[in-house]
Amino acid sequence: MDQLSAMRAFVRVVEAGTFTRAADLLDMPKPTVTKQIQQLEAHLRAKLLNRTTRRVTVTMDGAAYYERALRVLGEIDELDASMALSQARPSGRLRVDCSASLAMAVIIPALPGFHERYPEIQLDLGLSDRPADLLAENLDCAIRAGEIQDQSLIARRIGEMFAITCAAPSYLARHGLPKHPRDLEQGHHIVGYRMAGAGRTMPFLYANERETIEVRSRYIVSLNEGNGYVAAAVAGLGIIQAPTFMVQDHVNAGALVPILASWCSTPKPLHIVYPPNRHLSNKVRVFVDWLAELFARDDKIQRKSSLKPAEEICAAQ
C-alpha cells in the first residue's frame, strides 16, 4: 500500500463528504479510492469512516487521524515546494473561484499577459456569485468582496472596489431624477440583489460628510447574479448600486447614467482567500501577486467614477 496516497485519499474523502465526489476531485476511479481507504483502515487497525448510502462521516479515530494527516501532508508539500522553488517555473492547474462580473470585466481581459508570464499554469476559473466551499470543491483560492465572514479562511487584501448608483435613461425619463437617497423610498424602485442563501435583498448604503444612510426600496425584479443585475438596470427595470467595473462600459455607452453623485458608498475590500491547512504553492503565490498588481492599476477597479453625473447630462439635454 502507498500510505501517502491513501492518506491523501482519506483527507479528500473527509473534505468532500462522499467517495464519489472525492474520486472526481482526485481524478481517480471510485473503486480505487475505496480500496485505498480500506487498506489504510486495515493498516491502522482502526475504523476511520462511517459509510451511509448518501454521506460519509468520520469516526473519533478518523477525526484525530485527519488532523494529523493534514499537518503531515502540509509539511511534505512545503518540503517539496521549497526544494523545487528555485529550479522550477510555476506550473500545473490552478483552481480559482470568482464572481462572473469581476472575471469578465477585469481578470479575463488581462489573462493573456498572465499566460505570457506563466505559460505552464493552467487556470480553472469557477464563475459564480455563490461563495464556493473551498475545501469541498478542492479550490486553491477564491476572490471575495467585502469583509470575510469565515474566520477559518486565510485572507490577503489585494485591493478595494467602489460602487456608484445608476439607472437607465428610460427609467429616469419615466420616474424623474432622485436628489437624495431617501427619494429612492418614495416614487422609485430599485433592482434587487440577493446574496446566495440570503432571503432579503441587499440595502443601498450612502454617506456624506454629515451622515450615513441605509436605503431599502421596493423592486420589480431581484437577482442573485451580477451580470443579470446590471442587465435589468439597462432594461429600465430600476436603479442599481454596483461596483464601477460592472457598469463603466454601460455608462460610457449611454445605457446607464450615474445618479446621486454627491453621495458615496463605502469602498469594499477585495480579498483573496485560501483554505485552512493548505500549503500556499508557488503557482498560487504568483497568481496572487499578479492579481494584486492588476487591481492596483486597473481603471475600472480604482476609480469611483470619472463620468458625468445625471444632473449634468439632464441639464445639457
Side-chain angles (χ1 to χ4, degrees), residues 4-68:
L4 186 59
S5 295
M7 186 184 297
R8 291 189 187 278
F10 169 73
V11 167
R12 186 62 65 234
V13 170
V14 172
E15 293 175 348
T18 68
F19 279 85
T20 301
R21 179 65 177 153
D24 289 342
L25 294 171
L26 291 166
D27 196 21
M28 295 170 58
K30 180 183 174 183
T32 301
V33 176
T34 301
K35 184 177 180 180
Q36 286 184 327
I37 301 302
Q38 290 172 343
Q39 291 176 337
L40 182 62
E41 289 180 320
H43 172 74
L44 297 172
R45 298 180 183 179
K47 185 177 177 63
L48 302 178
L49 299 171
N50 291 314
R51 291 106 162 147
T52 67
T53 56
R54 293 178 175 235
R55 189 79 181 167
V56 174
T57 58
V58 290
T59 64
M60 290 184 65
D61 287 338
Y65 187 79
Y66 172 76
E67 294 299 328
R68 295 289 295 274

Side-chain angles (χ1 to χ4, degrees), residues 81-149:
S82 65
M83 295 298 292
L85 190 59
S86 61
Q87 303 175 24
R89 299 179 65 180
S91 62
R93 293 175 64 189
L94 179 61
R95 300 173 180 86
V96 182
D97 182 67
C98 178
S99 75
S101 52
L102 179 60
M104 292 172 65
V106 179
I107 298 175
I108 292 175
L111 280 181
F114 179 79
H115 174 69
E116 184 176 353
R117 191 183 303 181
Y118 305 108
E120 296 174 26
I121 293 179
Q122 292 179 289
L123 188 61
D124 292 353
L125 273 178
L127 305 183
S128 172
D129 285 4
R130 175 191 60 84
D133 186 327
L134 275 68
L135 285 174
E137 299 182 37
N138 197 28
L139 296 169
D140 293 294
C141 57
I143 303 165
R144 296 282 185 263
E147 299 302 328
I148 304 302
Q149 302 300 318

